């Protein structure tokens, strides 16, 4: 069926109601012409024009410009839905840098925050984003760790009582009412690591009842990986709710090469009816704190330390990102710091952890094998995320999306360009529970990116982690241009995205 273009409709209405008022503000619609359209569904690229009016896509096909319409010539470049980062820490600093260059320069138009058990007071967050919006849309999970902290405070290193769990359920219900996408946990971190399976299961039920999902940085990404994965799958099975493995990884040398086994576990769970998905970033390095290397927090244990440095991350592969007591260690490896201090790596690690703030020193560490990351990212239910932020040493915050849609399609040939885009748009939207985003189709929000598939690439790397990606020409958020030819536009049409009512 053919619909009347919005601009033509507006012209007809004006004609019927007397002389048109002098035009102020933006044109009624924009026609994006001569695009190579990849609509986000995974279907093959095709030549098409796209009309946007207000904050929506209103028509897709072979279209002719209306009289008062702005025309954007895509000149044969690829037009895709704006990318959705389902695991982001880019909310840090977004209030002071609302242009969000790390994101929009890669074509990212929506970020999902409140990850790893963080995320609380969402009503206030969303109200602030309405008063003081950013260039990108922001959705959020409610965080188990933040809720647990509110209830248990400093006395967190134990199982919660039934009464404490009851108070957590009430807090989570309020966050779900405020529009949280679901519950996030960070079970490898304080205070989530001390929760029982029963506590997490009880909280997940509140998210499920509200129509939300469960996204987890699982209890172990190394030593007890399989048990941790089982905990997540059991939650999905028990509550019949969507469950999502955050930044899935085989994060220990002993696990390297087991991607096929992992995919077997994931596929069997799905075949069993569990609504199981994952996100993943395209790097073999993770970023966290020093304490996370010791799940028992036994920092003075020599045997544990030797185990960490031979199985989890090598001294050459642990890079200091930030260390309040030793700012000069930033950018140095543990091996280099050990040489500087004249102590063996294991002793150095224990000494640093004995210092105030040692446990929370920021590190980047190589924990994964290239072949596993490349195999896991191809899983049809794995969408792309950054796990990134706008500061720090890890390049993922400025490069994850451009890396996958560029070099990992062109050079590594892991999947087609259409599949890469699907993993960043419609699949990401589905996995996070976002509606009317992630596809280019009438009535969908006009979050769009025009990029050159032959040049798009990440430029951020270790040592220059904040270099903007190349190859993205123009980005729209809710119908407005936020990035064009290398520059942010200084407009902030991003919105808080609350969970859709079911
Ligand atoms: Zn995490």
């Amino acid at each position: 069926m053919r619909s009347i273009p919005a601009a033509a409709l507006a012209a007809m209405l004006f004609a019927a109601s007397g002389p048109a008022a002098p035009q102020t503000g933006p044109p009624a619609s924009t026609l994006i012409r001569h695009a190579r359209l990849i609509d986000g569904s995974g279907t093959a690229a095709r030549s098409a024009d796209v009309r946007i009016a207000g904050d929506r896509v209103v028509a897709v096909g072979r279209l002719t410009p209306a009289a008062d319409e702005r025309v954007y010539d895509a000149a044969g470049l690829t037009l895709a839905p704006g990318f959705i980062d389902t695991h982001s820490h880019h909310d840090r600093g977004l209030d002071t840098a609302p242009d969000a260059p790390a994101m929009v320069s890669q074509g990212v138009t929506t970020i999902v925050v409140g990850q790893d058990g963080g995320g609380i007071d969402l009503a206030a967050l969303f109200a602030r984003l309405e008063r003081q919006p950013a260039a990108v849309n922001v959705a959020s999970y409610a965080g188990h760790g933040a809720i647990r902290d509110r209830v248990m405070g400093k006395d967190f290193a134990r199982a919660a009582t039934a009464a404490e769990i009851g108070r957590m359920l009430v807090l989570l219900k309020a966050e779900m009412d405020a529009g949280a996408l679901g519950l996030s946990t960070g079970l490898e971190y304080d205070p989530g690591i001390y929760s029982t399976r029963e506590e997490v299961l009880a909280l997940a039920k509140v998210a499920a009842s509200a129509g939300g999902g469960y996204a987890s940085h699982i209890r172990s990404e190394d030593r007890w990986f399989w048990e941790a994965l089982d905990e997540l799958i059991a939650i999905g099975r028990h509550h019949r709710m969507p469950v999502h493995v955050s930044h899935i990884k085989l994060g220990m040398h002993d696990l390297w090469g087991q991607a096929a086994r992992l995919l077997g576990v994931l596929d069997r769970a799905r075949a069993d009816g569990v609504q199981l998905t994952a996100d993943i970033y395209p790097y073999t390095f993770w970023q966290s704190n020093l304490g996370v290397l010791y799940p028992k927090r036994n920092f003075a244990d020599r045997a544990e330390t030797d185990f960490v440095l031979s199985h989890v991350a090598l001294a050459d592969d642990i890079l200091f990102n930030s260390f309040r007591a030793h700012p000069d260690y930033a950018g140095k490896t543990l091996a280099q710091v050990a040489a500087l201090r004249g102590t063996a790596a294991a002793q150095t690690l224990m000494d640093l952890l004995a210092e105030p703030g040692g446990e929370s020193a920021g590190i980047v560490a190589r924990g994964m094998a290239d072949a596993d990351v490349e195999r896991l990212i191809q899983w049809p239910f794995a969408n792309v995320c950054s796990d990134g932020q706008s500061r720090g040493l890890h390049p993922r915050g400025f490069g994850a999306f451009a890396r996958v849609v560029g070099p990992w399609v062109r050079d590594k040939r892991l999947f087609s360009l259409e599949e890469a885009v699907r993993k960043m748009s419609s699949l990401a939207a589905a996995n996070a529970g976002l509606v009317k985003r992630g596809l280019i189709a009438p009535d969908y929000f006009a979050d769009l990116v025009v990029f050159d598939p032959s040049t798009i690439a990440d430029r951020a790397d270790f040592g220059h982690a904040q270099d903007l990606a190349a190859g993205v020409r123009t980005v729209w958020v809710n119908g407005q241009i936020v990035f064009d030819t290398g520059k942010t536009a200084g407009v902030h049409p991003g919105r808080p995205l609350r969970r859709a009512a079911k």
Side-chain angles (χ1 to χ4, degrees):
M1 201 183 82
R2 258 184 124 169
S3 60
I4 303 170
L9 187 63
M12 283 159 61
L13 291 172
F14 273 124
S17 61
Q23 181 115 32
T24 54
S29 64
T30 298
L31 185 65
I32 301 172
R33 301 189 80 190
H34 308 129
R36 191 85 186 129
L37 178 68
I38 295 183
D39 68 9
S41 68
T43 58
R46 62 190 197 272
S47 296
D49 310 312
V50 171
R51 173 168 287 122
I52 60 182
D55 60 4
R56 305 282 179 135
V57 170
V58 293
V60 178
R62 219 169 271 282
L63 308 169
T64 46
D68 64 341
E69 191 165 48
R70 175 191 295 173
V71 173
Y72 175 98
D73 189 351
L77 297 179
T78 294
L79 172 64
F83 303 142
I84 297 170
D85 188 349
T86 59
H87 191 104
S88 164
H89 300 284
H90 286 101
D91 49 330
R92 295 172 193 160
L94 198 58
D95 50 344
T96 51
D99 278 8
M103 289 143 270
V104 297
S105 61
Q106 299 184 71
V108 172
T109 54
T110 295
I111 62 172
V112 181
V113 304
Q115 303 289 349
D116 304 307
I120 196 164
D121 297 329
L122 297 191
L125 169 71
F126 292 154
R128 182 171 63 69
L129 286 166
E130 255 151 18
R131 280 196 314 273
Q132 210 188 317
V136 294
N137 303 306
V138 180
S140 182
Y141 287 98
H144 165 236
I147 290 171
R148 198 172 201 268
D149 177 63
R150 184 106 0 134
V151 170
M152 298 176 72
K154 287 192 161 55
D155 183 24
F156 62 80
R158 59 176 174 84
T161 64
E164 286 166 337
I165 293 173
R167 288 169 58 202
M168 292 184 213
L169 301 179
V170 172
L171 289 175
L172 176 58
K173 174 71 166 57
E175 299 298 335
M176 294 306 297
D177 290 346
L181 295 178
L183 175 68
S184 83
T185 58
L187 300 180
E188 217 172 18
Y189 294 119
D190 294 349
I193 195 167
Y194 296 101
S195 61
T196 61
R197 279 193 175 204
E198 290 67 35
E199 175 182 328
V200 179
L201 194 66
L203 282 155
K205 187 179 182 183
V206 173
S209 303
Y214 175 74
S216 182
H217 175 141
I218 61 177
R219 213 173 274 274
S220 172
E221 297 187 319
D222 41 71
R223 295 166 183 77
W224 304 293
F225 174 75
W226 303 106
E227 294 90 323
L229 186 60
D230 177 65
E231 177 179 13
L232 175 128
I233 292 171
I235 289 169
R237 183 172 285 128
H238 195 91
H239 293 320
R240 297 175 187 279
M241 73 188 298
V243 289
H244 186 73
V245 185
S246 296
H247 44 61
I248 194 165
K249 61 174 70 78
L250 291 160
M252 183 183 192
H253 289 240
D254 312 51
L255 291 170
W256 289 8
Q258 297 194 40
R261 176 182 170 194
L262 172 52
L263 292 173
V265 172
L266 300 177
D267 284 333
R268 272 194 301 281
R270 285 191 63 92
D272 258 14
V274 178
Q275 301 170 62
L276 175 62
T277 59
D279 54 35
I280 182 169
Y281 52 81
Y283 299 88
T284 55
F285 283 78
W286 47 259
Q287 176 171 334
S288 188
N289 58 52
L290 211 48
V292 81
L293 292 168
Y294 294 71
K296 294 181 188 153
R297 308 293 187 254
N298 50 341
F299 305 133
D301 188 317
R302 179 59 195 248
E304 182 78 12
T305 303
D306 288 339
F307 183 87
V308 165
L309 293 179
S310 54
H311 293 261
V312 182
L314 311 180
D316 281 322
D317 290 343
I318 297 174
L319 196 64
F320 285 95
N321 180 35
S322 57
F323 198 150
R324 199 163 300 166
H326 302 283
D328 53 314
Y329 290 177
K332 292 192 171 66
T333 65
L334 175 61
Q336 289 168 331
V337 170
L340 215 63
R341 294 167 67 107
T343 48
Q347 190 59 48
T348 305
L349 182 53
M350 290 191 293
D351 290 347
L352 293 175
L353 280 161
E355 292 185 15
E359 187 182 345
S360 54
I363 57 168
V364 170
R366 188 158 97 96
M368 293 83 89
D370 290 283
D372 292 333
V373 176
E374 292 172 12
R375 186 73 195 82
L376 294 176
I377 204 170
Q378 292 179 68
W379 189 48
F381 305 95
N383 67 271
V384 176
C385 71
S386 75
D387 198 3
Q389 53 184 4
S390 298
R391 286 168 292 148
L393 276 187
H394 201 302
R396 62 193 182 182
F398 285 73
F401 286 80
R403 186 175 175 88
V404 173
V405 79
W408 284 31
V409 168
R410 283 193 307 268
D411 308 333
K412 288 188 188 278
R413 298 176 180 274
L414 294 186
F415 23 58
S416 66
L417 183 61
E418 289 87 344
E419 175 66 0
V421 168
R422 187 186 72 90
K423 284 178 172 293
M424 302 174 175
S425 54
S426 69
L427 180 66
N431 290 357
L434 297 170
V435 298
K436 295 286 181 197
R437 311 258 170 195
L439 275 183
I440 298 181
D443 202 35
Y444 273 72
F445 287 95
D447 295 341
L448 306 167
V449 53
V450 167
F451 64 92
D452 183 343
S454 69
T455 61
I456 189 168
D458 55 314
R459 284 190 296 205
D461 204 345
F462 293 98
H464 44 100
Q466 277 129 55
D467 285 9
L468 296 184
V472 168
R473 193 168 88 174
T474 309
V475 179
W476 290 258
V477 171
N478 296 314
Q480 294 190 47
I481 290 177
V482 296
F483 180 86
D484 190 62
T485 52
K487 286 195 198 69
T488 54
V491 300
H492 308 131
R495 297 176 186 167
L497 303 184
R498 298 174 178 87
R499 189 187 71 264
K502 294 223 166 162

